[in-house]
Every structure is written in structure tokens, then in C-alpha cells.
Amino acid sequence: MAWTAHLARPLAQIADLALPPRCPGCGAITPADHRFCTHCWTSLRFLGPPWCAACHLPFDFERGEGARCAACIADPPPHDGIRAAVAYGEVARGVALKLKYSGRLACAATMARAMARLMPAEADLLVPVPLHRWRLWSRGYNQAGLIAAALGRAHSVPMAPGLLRRVKATPVLRGLGARARAKAVAGAFALAPDARAALAGRTVVLVDDVHTSGATANACAKLLKRGGAGKVILLCWARVLDREEGAD
């Protein structure tokens, strides 16, 4: 009713004054929700082409169509590219940690907004990287699922949160070498019984918050492709470009 809208307007204005929008990075007051302050914004390194044709590792300059990085020439990845909104750094790390460990759920929408420009046009299905049930129980939510839900709403792409499951708890991968990381996630994931019908020939966007070594993404991509997916593209908030940083 008109009178209720009239009453609600000043209440909303009071709420805006009491709880103004704040920078997702440092908490400074900003003009609107999900906006970074100037300092945090300029601290972020946004990623995109030119990049490796296989893994989408950013290149410093254009190397020509189909150019691949040395790692992909030596060992082609099982996925069809990693699209990350920003490089992993202090601000990107802070936003990811606020979502993962501090319950700042609005950060999922902030990440999704930055990731939206890299959403594959041919995307058929969004699949978040799953948490093991113990970790999901202790945290109360899957951060990748929240990001995928925000992307799905913005792009009208369906999400399948139960299609991929983490059936084995894995240790923290920080500090482990590539072989140890791969061993830690071996057998950690499984497909739902009806996954083949949902995956058949489709382009799957695997959604996560931070991409580090690729052990998790590779394990998920292999499984999704064995299940019938035509393409598996990883879309995430931040990508670790220096292997000495971050945690998978």
C-alpha cells in the first residue's frame, strides 16, 4: 500500500545513515554496496586476456592466437581454462577470508560482481566446488555455493549444488608440494547418481573462491568430464600467481 511505502522510505534512509555501505576490503565508507574504496580498488590486479589458451594464465603481452604457457605445453590441464577476476593479493585475500571465516556473506555477491565479466557465454550449468559435510556443518555454508548462487541469479544460469560431492575430508593444502596436494585430493570427490544426465555434453562452470595450485580444480574437472561434461571452465574470485602464496 502507498502509506506503507511512504512510511518505509524514511526508515530505509535512517538505516542507510546508521549502516552506510562499506568497502569490502578495508571497511571504509563507500557510495554504494559492493564498491571498493579508491585505495583497495587500485590495489586489486584485475585479470583477463592476453592469456594462455589452455589455462588462462595471464601473459604480459599478446603472444598470438592459441599460444600456451610452458606448463600447459608440458602437461595439458584437464579443464578448459581458469578465469579469475583478480590476482591473489592482500585485498583479494582479505575479502576471501571475510567470506570464508568471518561470516561476511555479502562478500559472495561482491566477488560474483567482479567475476561476472568472465562468465563464459556458453555456460550451461554452475557447479560450486563442494565442502566435506564436516566442514559444511562447522561453517554453516559453502562459500563457493554462495558465489555460484549470486552468479546464477545475475546470468540466469542454473546451479547444481549437489551434483559434485566431497566424500573425503582433506587436510589443509597450504605448504604442500604439487604431488602432495594431488595425493591429498585423490578420491575426495564423487558425482551424484543422476549426474550423467545433467552433464551430458554441457559446458560446466566450476565455481570457487581462490585458485592456488590447481589440485582441487583438476580433480573436479577430471571427474566432471568423466561424467560426460563437454567443457569444464573454472571461474573464481582470485588466482594465486605466485605459488608461494595462498591455500587451495
PDB file of all heavy atoms in Angstrom, residues 56-69:
ATOM      1  N   HIS A  56      44.574 -20.109 -19.178  1.00  0.00           N
ATOM      2  CA  HIS A  56      44.248 -18.698 -18.981  1.00  0.00           C
ATOM      3  C   HIS A  56      45.185 -18.002 -18.008  1.00  0.00           C
ATOM      4  O   HIS A  56      44.805 -17.005 -17.382  1.00  0.00           O
ATOM      5  CB  HIS A  56      42.789 -18.522 -18.543  1.00  0.00           C
ATOM      6  CG  HIS A  56      41.803 -18.952 -19.579  1.00  0.00           C
ATOM      7  ND1 HIS A  56      40.468 -19.189 -19.299  1.00  0.00           N
ATOM      8  CD2 HIS A  56      41.952 -19.219 -20.910  1.00  0.00           C
ATOM      9  CE1 HIS A  56      39.839 -19.572 -20.397  1.00  0.00           C
ATOM     10  NE2 HIS A  56      40.726 -19.588 -21.381  1.00  0.00           N
ATOM     11  N   LEU A  57      46.397 -18.499 -17.860  1.00  0.00           N
ATOM     12  CA  LEU A  57      47.405 -17.772 -17.100  1.00  0.00           C
ATOM     13  C   LEU A  57      47.692 -16.476 -17.841  1.00  0.00           C
ATOM     14  O   LEU A  57      47.955 -16.487 -19.039  1.00  0.00           O
ATOM     15  CB  LEU A  57      48.692 -18.593 -16.991  1.00  0.00           C
ATOM     16  CG  LEU A  57      49.833 -17.940 -16.215  1.00  0.00           C
ATOM     17  CD1 LEU A  57      49.536 -17.951 -14.725  1.00  0.00           C
ATOM     18  CD2 LEU A  57      51.163 -18.640 -16.510  1.00  0.00           C
ATOM     19  N   PRO A  58      47.622 -15.319 -17.154  1.00  0.00           N
ATOM     20  CA  PRO A  58      47.835 -14.041 -17.854  1.00  0.00           C
ATOM     21  C   PRO A  58      49.231 -13.917 -18.455  1.00  0.00           C
ATOM     22  O   PRO A  58      50.223 -14.308 -17.837  1.00  0.00           O
ATOM     23  CB  PRO A  58      47.637 -13.001 -16.744  1.00  0.00           C
ATOM     24  CG  PRO A  58      46.855 -13.689 -15.684  1.00  0.00           C
ATOM     25  CD  PRO A  58      47.264 -15.125 -15.736  1.00  0.00           C
ATOM     26  N   PHE A  59      49.285 -13.397 -19.677  1.00  0.00           N
ATOM     27  CA  PHE A  59      50.549 -13.086 -20.337  1.00  0.00           C
ATOM     28  C   PHE A  59      50.825 -11.590 -20.204  1.00  0.00           C
ATOM     29  O   PHE A  59      49.893 -10.777 -20.124  1.00  0.00           O
ATOM     30  CB  PHE A  59      50.497 -13.437 -21.834  1.00  0.00           C
ATOM     31  CG  PHE A  59      50.510 -14.913 -22.136  1.00  0.00           C
ATOM     32  CD1 PHE A  59      49.920 -15.403 -23.301  1.00  0.00           C
ATOM     33  CD2 PHE A  59      51.122 -15.816 -21.284  1.00  0.00           C
ATOM     34  CE1 PHE A  59      49.935 -16.762 -23.605  1.00  0.00           C
ATOM     35  CE2 PHE A  59      51.149 -17.182 -21.563  1.00  0.00           C
ATOM     36  CZ  PHE A  59      50.551 -17.651 -22.732  1.00  0.00           C
ATOM     37  N   ASP A  60      52.091 -11.223 -20.207  1.00  0.00           N
ATOM     38  CA  ASP A  60      52.453  -9.808 -20.140  1.00  0.00           C
ATOM     39  C   ASP A  60      52.184  -9.102 -21.462  1.00  0.00           C
ATOM     40  O   ASP A  60      52.034  -7.873 -21.504  1.00  0.00           O
ATOM     41  CB  ASP A  60      53.935  -9.654 -19.777  1.00  0.00           C
ATOM     42  CG  ASP A  60      54.228 -10.103 -18.358  1.00  0.00           C
ATOM     43  OD1 ASP A  60      53.319 -10.010 -17.503  1.00  0.00           O
ATOM     44  OD2 ASP A  60      55.364 -10.560 -18.098  1.00  0.00           O
ATOM     45  N   PHE A  61      52.128  -9.867 -22.553  1.00  0.00           N
ATOM     46  CA  PHE A  61      51.858  -9.286 -23.858  1.00  0.00           C
ATOM     47  C   PHE A  61      51.187 -10.339 -24.728  1.00  0.00           C
ATOM     48  O   PHE A  61      51.238 -11.539 -24.435  1.00  0.00           O
ATOM     49  CB  PHE A  61      53.159  -8.799 -24.519  1.00  0.00           C
ATOM     50  CG  PHE A  61      54.223  -9.855 -24.632  1.00  0.00           C
ATOM     51  CD1 PHE A  61      54.289 -10.688 -25.746  1.00  0.00           C
ATOM     52  CD2 PHE A  61      55.153 -10.030 -23.620  1.00  0.00           C
ATOM     53  CE1 PHE A  61      55.253 -11.675 -25.853  1.00  0.00           C
ATOM     54  CE2 PHE A  61      56.139 -11.011 -23.717  1.00  0.00           C
ATOM     55  CZ  PHE A  61      56.176 -11.829 -24.831  1.00  0.00           C
ATOM     56  N   GLU A  62      50.560  -9.900 -25.799  1.00  0.00           N
ATOM     57  CA  GLU A  62      49.865 -10.800 -26.717  1.00  0.00           C
ATOM     58  C   GLU A  62      50.875 -11.680 -27.443  1.00  0.00           C
ATOM     59  O   GLU A  62      51.837 -11.185 -28.048  1.00  0.00           O
ATOM     60  CB  GLU A  62      49.061  -9.982 -27.730  1.00  0.00           C
ATOM     61  CG  GLU A  62      48.299 -10.837 -28.726  1.00  0.00           C
ATOM     62  CD  GLU A  62      47.293 -11.757 -28.057  1.00  0.00           C
ATOM     63  OE1 GLU A  62      46.394 -11.248 -27.366  1.00  0.00           O
ATOM     64  OE2 GLU A  62      47.434 -12.995 -28.212  1.00  0.00           O
ATOM     65  N   ARG A  63      50.654 -13.012 -27.369  1.00  0.00           N
ATOM     66  CA  ARG A  63      51.584 -13.950 -27.999  1.00  0.00           C
ATOM     67  C   ARG A  63      50.995 -14.623 -29.235  1.00  0.00           C
ATOM     68  O   ARG A  63      51.605 -15.523 -29.809  1.00  0.00           O
ATOM     69  CB  ARG A  63      52.002 -15.023 -26.991  1.00  0.00           C
ATOM     70  CG  ARG A  63      52.702 -14.478 -25.759  1.00  0.00           C
ATOM     71  CD  ARG A  63      53.236 -15.605 -24.895  1.00  0.00           C
ATOM     72  NE  ARG A  63      53.815 -15.128 -23.656  1.00  0.00           N
ATOM     73  CZ  ARG A  63      54.374 -15.912 -22.741  1.00  0.00           C
ATOM     74  NH1 ARG A  63      54.447 -17.227 -22.951  1.00  0.00           N
ATOM     75  NH2 ARG A  63      54.870 -15.406 -21.625  1.00  0.00           N
ATOM     76  N   GLY A  64      49.798 -14.222 -29.596  1.00  0.00           N
ATOM     77  CA  GLY A  64      49.177 -14.809 -30.774  1.00  0.00           C
ATOM     78  C   GLY A  64      48.111 -15.830 -30.402  1.00  0.00           C
ATOM     79  O   GLY A  64      48.128 -16.404 -29.307  1.00  0.00           O
ATOM     80  N   GLU A  65      47.211 -16.053 -31.318  1.00  0.00           N
ATOM     81  CA  GLU A  65      46.092 -16.971 -31.081  1.00  0.00           C
ATOM     82  C   GLU A  65      46.595 -18.396 -30.807  1.00  0.00           C
ATOM     83  O   GLU A  65      47.453 -18.913 -31.528  1.00  0.00           O
ATOM     84  CB  GLU A  65      45.154 -16.974 -32.291  1.00  0.00           C
ATOM     85  CG  GLU A  65      43.897 -17.788 -32.095  1.00  0.00           C
ATOM     86  CD  GLU A  65      42.957 -17.716 -33.284  1.00  0.00           C
ATOM     87  OE1 GLU A  65      43.253 -16.950 -34.223  1.00  0.00           O
ATOM     88  OE2 GLU A  65      41.931 -18.423 -33.261  1.00  0.00           O
ATOM     89  N   GLY A  66      46.057 -18.998 -29.760  1.00  0.00           N
ATOM     90  CA  GLY A  66      46.399 -20.372 -29.445  1.00  0.00           C
ATOM     91  C   GLY A  66      47.686 -20.548 -28.661  1.00  0.00           C
ATOM     92  O   GLY A  66      48.084 -21.693 -28.383  1.00  0.00           O
ATOM     93  N   ALA A  67      48.344 -19.445 -28.277  1.00  0.00           N
ATOM     94  CA  ALA A  67      49.609 -19.546 -27.535  1.00  0.00           C
ATOM     95  C   ALA A  67      49.355 -20.139 -26.146  1.00  0.00           C
ATOM     96  O   ALA A  67      48.383 -19.798 -25.476  1.00  0.00           O
ATOM     97  CB  ALA A  67      50.252 -18.172 -27.405  1.00  0.00           C
ATOM     98  N   ARG A  68      50.253 -21.038 -25.743  1.00  0.00           N
ATOM     99  CA  ARG A  68      50.139 -21.689 -24.435  1.00  0.00           C
ATOM    100  C   ARG A  68      51.358 -21.397 -23.587  1.00  0.00           C
ATOM    101  O   ARG A  68      52.456 -21.177 -24.107  1.00  0.00           O
ATOM    102  CB  ARG A  68      49.988 -23.207 -24.597  1.00  0.00           C
ATOM    103  CG  ARG A  68      48.725 -23.627 -25.324  1.00  0.00           C
ATOM    104  CD  ARG A  68      48.511 -25.115 -25.256  1.00  0.00           C
ATOM    105  NE  ARG A  68      47.223 -25.499 -25.807  1.00  0.00           N
ATOM    106  CZ  ARG A  68      46.558 -26.589 -25.457  1.00  0.00           C
ATOM    107  NH1 ARG A  68      47.084 -27.420 -24.570  1.00  0.00           N
ATOM    108  NH2 ARG A  68      45.394 -26.879 -25.983  1.00  0.00           N
ATOM    109  N   CYS A  69      51.141 -21.416 -22.259  1.00  0.00           N
ATOM    110  CA  CYS A  69      52.262 -21.233 -21.353  1.00  0.00           C
ATOM    111  C   CYS A  69      53.100 -22.514 -21.328  1.00  0.00           C
ATOM    112  O   CYS A  69      52.659 -23.579 -21.777  1.00  0.00           O
ATOM    113  CB  CYS A  69      51.766 -20.885 -19.948  1.00  0.00           C
ATOM    114  SG  CYS A  69      50.875 -22.215 -19.107  1.00  0.00           S
TER     115      CYS A  69
END
